[in-house]
Amino acid sequence: MIRQQDFEDIVRRSQVACDALSDDDDGLKREVLAHAGNRWSLGIVHALGVAGRLRHAEIGRRMAGVTQRMLTRTLRQLERDGLVLRHDHRTVPPHVEYELSDLGRGLLVGMIPLWTWVIENGDGFRAARTRFDKAQDGSPARD
């Protein structure tokens, strides 16, 4: 349980962070923050964090359900934002590898507390969904 004083400090820090995100005139910070909520971005960051340098196809094999197009698109966006480094060995046939940059490693480290929180609260999420769904049974549909 979080003490009221601690919670008030958390809310204050949260507001400072939100204000800083809002101050960015071109949306850069919010766009980069979107990686933290994108399953493909996080999957790539995790795969590269665990395995180190990987080729495109190796990343794809580690990510069930990702299409080649989505993988390529996501890798390019991660590279553009400085989270992933692309190494083109300039050979024929092409040999390209990807690895996390320092920024990418920082994202991976920063996501661990969130992932841990989600895992620790899974039962609470399931219970809330069950309560919500039961409350909706027999109720008129809502838009």
Side-chain angles (χ1 to χ4, degrees), residues 76-96:
R76 284 188 184 162
Q77 188 62 50
L78 291 168
E79 180 185 5
R80 180 175 185 246
D81 288 336
L83 297 165
V84 167
L85 302 173
R86 182 178 187 270
H87 302 280
D88 186 345
H89 296 277
R90 306 210 181 270
T91 60
V92 178
H95 182 120
V96 177

Side-chain angles (χ1 to χ4, degrees), residues 1-18 117:
M1 185 61 117
I2 299 174
R3 293 184 350 215
Q4 184 63 29
Q5 184 178 1
D6 292 337
F7 185 71
E8 289 170 6
D9 183 52
I10 291 167
V11 169
R12 184 186 54 72
R13 290 186 311 167
S14 173
Q15 187 60 53
V16 168
C18 286
W117 179 81

Side-chain angles (χ1 to χ4, degrees), residues 28-132:
L28 171 73
K29 295 172 196 167
R30 288 189 184 275
E31 289 174 17
V32 173
L33 186 59
H35 291 302
N38 179 300
R39 82 185 260 198
W40 302 125
S41 293
L42 290 179
I44 290 169
V45 168
H46 177 261
L48 294 174
V50 169
R53 277 192 187 195
L54 292 173
R55 295 180 76 169
H56 188 281
E58 294 170 320
I59 298 169
R61 281 193 287 275
R62 292 168 185 261
M63 299 183 53
V66 69
T67 64
Q68 178 142 347
R69 181 177 182 269
M70 183 56 69
L71 179 59
T72 299
R73 204 166 141 196
T74 305
L75 279 165
R76 284 188 184 162
Q77 188 62 50
L78 291 168
E79 180 185 5
R80 180 175 185 246
D81 288 336
L83 297 165
V84 167
L85 302 173
R86 182 178 187 270
H87 302 280
D88 186 345
H89 296 277
R90 306 210 181 270
T91 60
V92 178
H95 182 120
V96 177
E97 296 174 315
Y98 298 89
E99 70 177 322
L100 289 181
S101 66
D102 288 339
L103 282 173
R105 284 189 206 86
L107 175 61
L108 181 60
V109 168
M111 290 306 300
I112 292 170
L114 178 59
W115 293 336
T116 302
W117 179 81
V118 169
I119 292 164
E120 290 172 351
N121 289 283
D123 290 341
F125 299 137
R126 280 188 278 288
R129 287 180 173 188
T130 298
R131 282 191 306 274
F132 181 88

